[in-house]
Amino acid sequence: MALLQCSFHSEVLGMATRATVILPDPVRHPAPVRQRHGGGTPVLYLLHGMGDDDSAWTRRTSIERHVEAYDLAVVMPGVDRSYYTDQAVGHDYWTFVSEELPALVTAWFRVSDAPSDTFVAGLSMGGYGAFKWALRRPGSIAAAASLSGGLDATARHASPEWRATFGSRERAREHGDDLLALARSMADAPSPPLLQWCGTEDPNLEENRRFRDGALAAGLPLEYDEGPGGHEWSCWDAQIRRVLDWLPLRTRP
């Protein structure tokens, strides 16, 4: 396997940014096999939480070891404290992550650009970003997973940082940043499969349950689970293994 630290300029953000990338072992998962059976390597966009950066998943979990058995690239972008949002005052992080970054990744690496080979997952703020990707661009990915997601972030106390990000609750709804409103709007509409987990001692538990109830009422294909644990890396390290097993990776002889 290869672990790459990428620094590059984003035209959307108008500044330099970073991403950490894991590429599969070419001996264990030879490229000629992939090319004969559907093109490039499937890719998982793995999103960090509030206060972390692109290195968090590799520093705090065993993601590199967990993904070793899979023919799967993992791309972990850095988005500061943006909530994966085109901010009211700031930068267009949603456009960067969901549009510019995949285009750059498929240009730089031998990864598939097919929606059936593209997945997104994240923890906390990254869980919000993953489900926003699934609900706003459902045809661009094959599955999305949220671990302890901040899924009702637009209903939180309007601090100065919150206002700079979302502007107002009305703006958040209008710009597709309110996930519960998005879920309601998706009733009977096609959606990729969703996997949601939260710890029973996690401060985000109640908003996870609110999203679960709204998504199920809208008929979204959501698999929900909760279990012992708080807002902590030991839980996420265990649950990302479940996410990897759950992803609908195509069988490649």
XYZ file of all heavy atoms in Angstrom, residues 94-146:
398
model
N -18.087 22.942 0.323
C -18.973 21.916 -0.238
C -18.643 21.684 -1.710
O -18.492 20.544 -2.154
C -20.433 22.327 -0.069
C -21.373 21.582 -0.964
C -22.067 22.081 -2.033
C -21.693 20.188 -0.911
N -22.804 21.094 -2.626
C -22.595 19.917 -1.958
C -21.315 19.143 -0.068
C -23.124 18.661 -2.194
C -21.835 17.883 -0.298
C -22.729 17.644 -1.343
N -18.503 22.747 -2.464
C -18.153 22.623 -3.872
C -16.781 21.995 -4.030
O -16.564 21.153 -4.918
C -18.200 24.003 -4.549
O -19.523 24.550 -4.411
C -17.862 23.903 -6.026
N -15.851 22.366 -3.178
C -14.510 21.784 -3.228
C -14.554 20.272 -3.036
O -13.997 19.509 -3.838
C -13.623 22.418 -2.153
C -12.386 21.627 -1.846
C -11.382 21.475 -2.786
C -12.238 21.012 -0.607
C -10.241 20.721 -2.500
C -11.114 20.267 -0.311
C -10.100 20.114 -1.270
N -15.235 19.812 -1.980
C -15.209 18.387 -1.643
C -16.026 17.561 -2.628
O -15.581 16.493 -3.068
C -15.713 18.167 -0.203
C -15.968 16.693 0.067
C -14.691 18.692 0.799
N -17.204 18.022 -2.988
C -18.112 17.189 -3.779
C -17.898 17.305 -5.288
O -18.355 16.432 -6.027
C -19.570 17.543 -3.447
O -19.887 18.860 -3.863
N -17.206 18.341 -5.748
C -17.020 18.522 -7.180
C -15.544 18.608 -7.576
O -15.055 17.795 -8.363
C -17.757 19.786 -7.652
C -19.267 19.713 -7.480
C -19.973 20.950 -7.982
O -19.405 21.662 -8.847
O -21.095 21.236 -7.509
N -14.828 19.597 -7.033
C -13.439 19.791 -7.462
C -12.541 18.634 -7.039
O -11.738 18.138 -7.850
C -12.891 21.108 -6.902
C -11.475 21.398 -7.405
C -10.872 22.648 -6.796
O -11.242 22.997 -5.651
O -10.022 23.270 -7.463
N -12.639 18.201 -5.794
C -11.744 17.147 -5.307
C -11.880 15.847 -6.096
O -10.860 15.276 -6.520
C -11.987 16.905 -3.814
C -11.097 15.830 -3.173
C -9.636 16.244 -3.181
C -11.580 15.532 -1.757
N -13.093 15.308 -6.333
C -13.176 14.079 -7.126
C -12.579 14.233 -8.524
O -11.955 13.291 -9.047
C -14.678 13.795 -7.175
C -15.224 14.445 -5.949
C -14.413 15.689 -5.786
N -12.753 15.396 -9.141
C -12.175 15.608 -10.470
C -10.653 15.576 -10.408
O -9.986 14.993 -11.282
C -12.659 16.932 -11.050
N -10.076 16.171 -9.377
C -8.627 16.148 -9.225
C -8.127 14.737 -8.938
O -7.119 14.292 -9.505
C -8.212 17.094 -8.094
C -8.408 18.588 -8.350
C -8.127 19.381 -7.080
C -7.526 19.076 -9.495
N -8.815 14.030 -8.065
C -8.384 12.683 -7.683
C -8.378 11.748 -8.884
O -7.431 10.975 -9.088
C -9.289 12.132 -6.552
C -9.091 10.635 -6.351
C -9.002 12.883 -5.250
N -9.429 11.802 -9.695
C -9.476 10.908 -10.855
C -8.460 11.326 -11.923
O -8.054 10.488 -12.730
C -10.885 10.862 -11.463
O -11.327 12.197 -11.767
C -11.874 10.226 -10.483
N -8.046 12.590 -11.920
C -7.010 13.026 -12.864
C -5.621 12.594 -12.397
O -4.756 12.277 -13.228
C -7.061 14.540 -13.035
N -5.394 12.576 -11.095
C -4.063 12.285 -10.557
C -3.796 10.793 -10.353
O -2.653 10.344 -10.447
C -3.882 12.994 -9.215
C -3.760 14.479 -9.306
C -3.330 15.226 -10.363
C -4.091 15.416 -8.274
N -3.363 16.560 -10.063
C -3.817 16.714 -8.792
C -4.578 15.299 -6.977
C -4.011 17.867 -8.048
C -4.769 16.445 -6.230
C -4.499 17.722 -6.765
N -4.843 10.029 -10.025
C -4.654 8.636 -9.647
C -5.520 7.728 -10.523
O -6.495 8.171 -11.112
C -5.019 8.415 -8.166
C -4.281 9.313 -7.224
C -4.942 10.347 -6.570
C -2.929 9.129 -6.987
C -4.267 11.189 -5.697
C -2.246 9.959 -6.116
C -2.919 10.997 -5.472
N -5.169 6.448 -10.555
C -5.929 5.478 -11.349
C -7.119 4.976 -10.536
O -7.205 3.795 -10.169
C -5.025 4.323 -11.775
C -3.958 4.729 -12.779
C -3.097 3.554 -13.186
N -2.103 3.944 -14.174
C -1.175 3.133 -14.663
N -1.120 1.868 -14.237
N -0.304 3.560 -15.547
N -8.018 5.891 -10.229
C -9.225 5.531 -9.494
C -10.426 5.706 -10.408
O -10.418 6.515 -11.344
C -9.398 6.362 -8.207
C -8.214 6.165 -7.275
C -9.582 7.831 -8.520
N -11.458 4.962 -10.119
C -12.670 5.005 -10.926
C -13.436 6.304 -10.693
O -13.477 6.824 -9.566
C -13.560 3.813 -10.579
O -14.793 3.891 -11.265
N -14.030 6.813 -11.761
C -14.932 7.959 -11.615
C -16.396 7.546 -11.705
O -17.287 8.392 -11.740
C -14.627 9.027 -12.661
C -14.810 8.534 -14.094
O -15.139 7.344 -14.286
O -14.622 9.348 -15.020
N -16.652 6.233 -11.697
C -18.030 5.740 -11.780
C -18.742 5.905 -10.435
O -18.173 5.579 -9.392
C -18.036 4.270 -12.169
N -19.971 6.406 -10.421
C -20.710 6.501 -9.163
C -20.802 5.166 -8.423
O -20.785 5.147 -7.195
C -22.092 6.996 -9.603
C -21.820 7.769 -10.856
C -20.722 7.014 -11.549
N -20.872 4.055 -9.162
C -20.973 2.739 -8.517
C -19.698 2.356 -7.776
O -19.712 1.428 -6.969
C -21.291 1.669 -9.558
O -20.296 1.641 -10.572
N -18.600 3.060 -8.022
C -17.320 2.798 -7.368
C -16.931 3.899 -6.392
O -15.786 3.940 -5.923
C -16.207 2.685 -8.414
C -16.254 1.394 -9.197
O -16.754 0.393 -8.657
O -15.784 1.388 -10.353
N -17.849 4.808 -6.081
C -17.530 5.985 -5.269
C -18.360 5.965 -3.987
O -19.583 5.812 -4.028
C -17.808 7.272 -6.060
O -17.094 7.231 -7.305
C -17.364 8.493 -5.277
N -17.681 6.139 -2.846
C -18.337 6.060 -1.539
C -17.856 7.216 -0.668
O -16.786 7.788 -0.902
C -17.998 4.733 -0.855
C -18.070 3.547 -1.777
C -16.916 2.995 -2.319
C -19.290 3.001 -2.141
C -16.970 1.919 -3.191
C -19.368 1.928 -3.013
C -18.195 1.383 -3.545
N -18.643 7.553 0.348
C -18.249 8.611 1.274
C -18.656 8.206 2.679
O -19.716 7.600 2.895
C -18.872 9.966 0.862
C -20.396 9.906 0.864
C -18.365 11.097 1.754
N -17.789 8.521 3.651
C -18.065 8.244 5.053
C -17.356 9.297 5.891
O -16.408 9.948 5.423
C -17.595 6.842 5.451
N -17.808 9.466 7.126
C -17.144 10.430 7.988
C -17.627 10.321 9.413
O -18.629 9.671 9.705
N -16.889 10.985 10.302
C -17.253 11.006 11.713
C -17.592 12.430 12.145
O -17.016 13.399 11.645
C -16.118 10.436 12.570
C -14.794 11.189 12.615
C -14.767 12.269 13.691
C -13.640 10.234 12.828
N -18.557 12.553 13.045
C -18.951 13.832 13.618
C -19.278 14.838 12.505
O -20.195 14.609 11.721
C -17.848 14.331 14.555
O -18.307 15.384 15.360
N -18.525 15.938 12.398
C -18.755 16.877 11.306
C -18.651 16.179 9.955
O -19.370 16.513 9.002
C -17.744 18.027 11.399
C -17.888 19.093 10.332
S -16.596 20.382 10.429
C -15.220 19.527 9.609
N -17.758 15.183 9.856
C -17.613 14.429 8.611
C -18.800 13.542 8.315
O -19.097 13.264 7.141
N -19.494 13.058 9.358
C -20.733 12.316 9.129
C -21.802 13.202 8.526
O -22.554 12.775 7.632
N -21.863 14.447 8.996
C -22.759 15.427 8.379
C -22.397 15.611 6.912
O -23.262 15.590 6.027
C -22.641 16.746 9.142
C -23.267 17.930 8.449
C -24.591 18.276 8.686
C -22.527 18.711 7.556
C -25.166 19.370 8.043
C -23.084 19.796 6.919
C -24.407 20.130 7.162
O -24.972 21.206 6.524
N -21.099 15.779 6.624
C -20.672 15.966 5.244
C -20.990 14.785 4.357
O -21.405 14.946 3.203
N -20.823 13.571 4.903
C -21.092 12.366 4.116
C -22.565 12.256 3.755
O -22.921 11.967 2.599
C -20.639 11.133 4.896
N -23.443 12.478 4.725
C -24.874 12.376 4.433
C -25.355 13.537 3.572
O -26.279 13.378 2.768
C -25.668 12.277 5.729
C -25.795 10.865 6.250
C -25.087 9.820 5.677
C -26.624 10.578 7.332
C -25.204 8.519 6.145
C -26.754 9.275 7.804
C -26.042 8.246 7.216
N -24.745 14.709 3.702
C -25.116 15.806 2.804
C -24.766 15.444 1.368
O -25.541 15.712 0.443
C -24.428 17.108 3.218
C -24.798 18.273 2.310
C -24.650 19.616 2.976
C -23.225 20.003 3.223
N -23.142 21.408 3.696
N -23.612 14.815 1.174
C -23.220 14.372 -0.165
C -24.257 13.393 -0.706
O -24.697 13.493 -1.857
C -21.845 13.719 -0.090
C -21.140 13.513 -1.396
C -21.700 13.305 -2.627
C -19.725 13.510 -1.601
N -20.724 13.145 -3.583
C -19.498 13.271 -2.982
C -18.627 13.649 -0.760
C -18.208 13.184 -3.525
C -17.354 13.566 -1.299
C -17.153 13.339 -2.661
N -24.674 12.450 0.119
C -25.645 11.445 -0.327
C -26.988 12.061 -0.678
O -27.643 11.646 -1.649
C -25.825 10.394 0.760
N -27.423 13.047 0.080
C -28.753 13.618 -0.128
C -28.781 14.702 -1.205
O -29.789 14.865 -1.891
C -29.278 14.188 1.194
C -29.461 13.171 2.333
C -29.967 13.869 3.590
C -30.405 12.055 1.921
N -27.679 15.422 -1.354
C -27.658 16.490 -2.361
C -27.181 16.009 -3.729
O -27.575 16.568 -4.754
C -26.769 17.648 -1.884
C -27.430 18.485 -0.801
C -26.598 19.666 -0.391
N -26.313 20.600 -1.472
C -25.764 21.806 -1.279
N -25.462 22.199 -0.039
N -25.517 22.597 -2.299
N -26.332 14.981 -3.752
C -25.823 14.459 -5.018
C -25.974 12.942 -5.031
O -24.977 12.213 -5.130
C -24.364 14.871 -5.222
C -24.135 16.376 -5.206
C -22.755 16.720 -5.739
N -22.668 16.390 -7.157
C -21.536 16.003 -7.760
N -20.427 15.869 -7.078
N -21.533 15.719 -9.049
N -27.203 12.441 -4.908
C -27.408 10.995 -4.733
C -26.931 10.161 -5.903
O -26.579 8.990 -5.730
C -28.921 10.872 -4.532
C -29.500 12.108 -5.155
C -28.490 13.182 -4.899
N -26.904 10.723 -7.091
C -26.468 9.952 -8.246
C -24.973 9.861 -8.423
O -24.488 9.172 -9.320
N -24.202 10.520 -7.540
C -22.750 10.577 -7.708
C -22.007 9.538 -6.877
O -20.796 9.378 -7.048
C -22.229 11.977 -7.357
O -22.370 12.231 -5.963
N -22.691 8.856 -5.964
C -22.043 7.883 -5.089
C -22.918 6.639 -4.950
O -24.109 6.664 -5.244
C -21.762 8.465 -3.689
C -23.073 8.874 -2.994
C -20.802 9.635 -3.754
C -22.896 9.231 -1.530
N -22.292 5.563 -4.459
C -23.014 4.303 -4.298
C -23.411 4.024 -2.857
O -24.252 3.146 -2.626
C -22.161 3.146 -4.815
N -22.838 4.728 -1.879
C -23.179 4.501 -0.473
C -22.548 5.590 0.374
O -21.518 6.171 0.000
C -22.694 3.126 -0.003
N -23.164 5.856 1.543
C -22.641 6.857 2.472
C -22.834 6.375 3.902
O -23.859 5.757 4.220
C -23.330 8.202 2.276
N -21.860 6.681 4.768
C -21.923 6.261 6.163
C -21.578 7.426 7.076
O -20.674 8.217 6.786
C -20.970 5.094 6.421
N -22.296 7.512 8.192
C -22.066 8.537 9.211
C -21.816 7.871 10.551
O -22.613 7.041 10.997
C -23.276 9.471 9.311
O -23.189 10.280 10.472
